[in-house]
Amino acid sequence: GENVEQHPSTLSVQEGDSAVIKCTYSDSASNYFPWYKQELGKGPQLIIDIRSNVGEKKDQRIAVTLNKTAKHFSLHITETQPEDSAVYFCAASIRTNAGKSTFGDGTTLTVKP
Amino acid sequence: ETGVTQSPTHLIKTRGQQVTLRCSSQSGHNTVSWYQQALGQGPQFIFQYYREEENGRGNFPPRFSGLQFPNYSSELNVNALELDDSALYLCASSFGPGGSYNEQFFGPGTRLTVL
């Protein structure tokens, strides 16, 4: 089955700096890679996703890159703000069924004001 | 549009007991996936229900079972509770497998503590 590894497990940055979180996956059949933000007491919320036919996707301060050959993908957050502090999860699935996703173990991001 | 809701919010049980957790899917969604999230870990896929039928199962024993109802709401049942079953149980709804890129939406979860 699919295995997703996520690094680092914790990340502390100064407000305004950039943050990068990296994930690798094992199953070459996976072709949909969402990123979720989970705040305390809440369920994961999708913040951005990328499909295997795209190498990069941006949404304001957030970007995701995908290297299919190396089977890794990354989340980039620029100009971090204290409200970006949360746990971030990467996941991998088959594009037609994101409901069967395999998740990484999460990165706790702390943005210091 | 109503989001995904789960009940109860918190639950405390003892070893050996049985528990039922409930999930109401987002309006228009016909698929519900259940995940177990242990403390400090990512969600782990338990199973998925699509149009009232189980549509895939993760690496969980048969004492984890589920149901989906005609209105697409769902239940997760766990029998013979063990201490390791203590976790946050998440439900996510989506608009069916087989279509194009079906984003899933998560509920807030049910925190289960087994003593």
Side-chain angles (χ1 to χ4, degrees), chain B residues 6 8-12 19 21 35-44 46 60 64 76 78 81-90 108-115:
Chain B
Q6 292 185 245
T9 307
H10 296 90
L11 204 51
I12 299 175
V19 69
L21 310 182
Y35 292 84
Q36 180 194 65
Q37 185 177 20
L39 206 58
Q41 294 183 19
Q44 267 197 294
I46 303 175
F60 281 82
F64 285 78
L76 164 66
V78 187
L81 283 167
E82 300 177 0
L83 297 179
D84 284 350
D85 295 334
S86 295
L88 180 70
Y89 287 85
L90 294 162
T110 293
R111 172 72 61 189
L112 173 65
T113 302
V114 182
L115 301 175

Side-chain angles (χ1 to χ4, degrees), chain B residues 21-40:
Chain B
L21 310 182
R22 295 178 175 83
C23 170
S24 289
S25 58
Q26 183 161 310
S27 175
H29 287 175
N30 56 16
T31 301
V32 171
S33 301
W34 285 93
Y35 292 84
Q36 180 194 65
Q37 185 177 20
L39 206 58

Side-chain angles (χ1 to χ4, degrees), chain A residues 82-109:
Chain A
E83 51 265 37
D84 293 330
S85 297
V87 181
Y88 291 81
F89 292 97
C90 62
S93 71
I94 307 299
R95 69 170 179 86
T96 52
N97 197 343
K100 291 184 183 176
S101 292
T102 300
F103 282 76
D105 278 341
T107 296
T108 301
L109 173 64

Side-chain angles (χ1 to χ4, degrees), chain A residues 45-64:
Chain A
Q45 181 182 15
L46 179 73
I47 55 171
I48 195 167
D49 56 18
I50 191 166
R51 310 170 187 180
S52 61
N53 59 347
V54 174
E56 184 176 358
K57 183 177 176 181
K58 271 188 177 180
D59 183 4
Q60 300 183 349
R61 297 185 296 109
I62 294 173
V64 58

